[in-house]
């Protein structure tokens, strides 16, 4: 960024060319900001400094809203997106953060699935967990890469030609962990990948209310 800006200072280029350079600089700054903010967020979550603003969140609604946001991207890419969700799947959590986790998984599924492929997003209640899964028919992840994909900046060979910074899954794991949950992944090269977020379900009624107020108490530092 600095090099391009320095060259622009001394260059005799036209106003139009200078504007194009400025636009490139803005875009590069935005990417850098996203990277710095992601690193900060991961560090805060991993060190336990991040605060969970816990409210009852319906994962079925959250997934429906997130998928709607991604419809134009899947259409552009020629990938079919389907959603399967029960009426209500409540967890105690921070909606924007949970939405970011689902969005990161969807973003990857779109990025690593070729035209003609499909993405299936499912919300289910299994035992005491709400499980949100994102399954694609994309390139898949090699067995040797699987243990590393949640590490900061790790990108498998098949990703080098795609945009990204290798921080998306680190964020997903951080968000899910701070909600007391876990992330699972299974993949077959050439066939596709499935990620699932397992989050403790919010028990409705009095017990649920108690869990919520206990969480609020923790947030206030009680
Ligand atoms: P990136 O910005 O590179 O997508 P992520 O942290 O989101 O970073 O993912 C880490 C790596 O895991 C990716 O570079 C890619 O190699 C692999 N990966 C993640 N999701 C998928 C997927 N749905 N299909 C294939 N590979 C994936």
């Amino acid at each position: 960024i600095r090099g391009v800006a320095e060259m622009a200072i001394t260059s005799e280029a036209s106003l139009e060319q200078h504007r194009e350079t400025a636009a490139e600089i803005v875009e590069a700054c935005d990417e850098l900001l996203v990277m710095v903010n992601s690193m900060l967020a991961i560090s805060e979550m991993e060190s336990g400094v991040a605060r969970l603003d816990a409210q009852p969140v319906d994962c079925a609604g959250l997934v429906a809203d997130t998928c709607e946001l991604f419809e134009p991207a899947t259409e552009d890419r020629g990938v079919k997106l389907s959603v399967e969700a029960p009426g209500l799947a409540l967890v105690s959590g921070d909606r924007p953060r949970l939405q970011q986790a689902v969005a990161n998984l969807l973003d990857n599924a779109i990025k690593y699935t070729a035209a003609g492929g499909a993405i299936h997003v499912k919300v289910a209640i299994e035992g005491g967990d709400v499980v949100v899964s994102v399954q694609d028919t994309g390139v898949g992840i090699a067995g040797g890469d699987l243990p590393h994909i949640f590490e900061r900046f790790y990108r498998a060979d098949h990703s080098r030609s795609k945009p990204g910074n290798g921080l998306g899954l680190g964020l997903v794991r951080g968000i899910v962990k701070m909600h007391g949950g876990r992330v699972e992944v299974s993949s077959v090269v050439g066939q596709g990948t499935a990620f699932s977020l397992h989050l403790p379900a919010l028990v409705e009624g009095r017990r649920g209310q108690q869990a919520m107020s206990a969480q609020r108490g923790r947030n206030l530092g009680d």
Side-chain angles (χ1 to χ4, degrees):
I1 295 171
R2 196 172 193 284
V4 173
E6 272 179 353
M7 270 167 61
I9 292 171
T10 50
S11 117
E12 300 293 325
S14 66
L15 180 61
E16 191 50 39
Q17 282 167 326
H18 274 307
R19 284 203 171 117
E20 274 176 29
T21 308
E24 269 173 43
I25 292 174
V26 169
E27 202 177 309
C29 284
D30 283 348
E31 277 172 25
L32 198 61
L33 262 181
V34 168
M35 197 172 91
V36 171
N37 285 334
S38 300
M39 281 167 60
L40 265 178
I42 295 173
S43 302
E44 280 177 0
M45 287 187 279
E46 283 183 356
S47 63
V49 175
R51 297 225 147 208
L52 185 65
D53 182 17
Q55 307 281 336
V57 177
D58 171 27
C59 288
L62 179 144
V63 161
D65 292 348
T66 316
C67 287
E68 210 179 305
L69 290 175
F70 276 83
E71 258 166 32
T74 48
E75 273 169 27
D76 282 354
R77 187 126 175 100
V79 170
K80 195 171 162 281
L81 176 65
S82 55
V83 189
E84 183 185 342
L88 202 65
L90 284 178
V91 299
S92 166
D94 183 320
R95 197 178 201 278
R97 285 192 205 256
L98 289 171
Q99 181 154 21
Q100 178 168 29
V102 176
N104 285 6
L105 293 183
L106 270 169
D107 194 49
N108 280 346
I110 295 170
K111 206 158 59 174
Y112 300 114
T113 302
I119 299 169
H120 186 63
V121 188
K122 186 174 162 188
V123 183
I125 298 171
E126 289 174 15
D129 285 346
V130 168
V131 182
V132 178
S133 55
V134 177
Q135 194 169 1
D136 65 56
T137 59
V139 291
I141 304 170
D145 290 318
L146 272 180
H148 305 291
I149 55 172
F150 294 96
E151 291 167 10
R152 280 180 238 192
F153 300 115
Y154 189 86
R155 307 194 76 207
D157 282 343
H158 66 255
S159 320
R160 301 277 152 80
S161 57
K162 309 270 179 199
N165 54 23
L167 292 171
L169 286 179
L171 268 175
V172 172
R173 188 174 63 174
I175 293 168
V176 172
K177 268 170 103 176
M178 76 184 288
H179 282 81
R182 68 181 196 281
V183 187
E184 285 181 4
V185 56
S186 63
S187 189
V188 179
V189 173
Q191 289 188 22
T193 304
F195 283 93
S196 54
L197 314 180
H198 296 249
L199 299 158
L202 178 62
V203 187
E204 282 181 273
R206 222 159 65 83
R207 272 176 59 207
Q209 303 260 327
Q210 279 166 355
M212 292 298 298
S213 25
Q215 184 60 57
R216 275 191 212 109
R218 276 199 292 280
N219 284 340
L220 293 169
D222 286 301

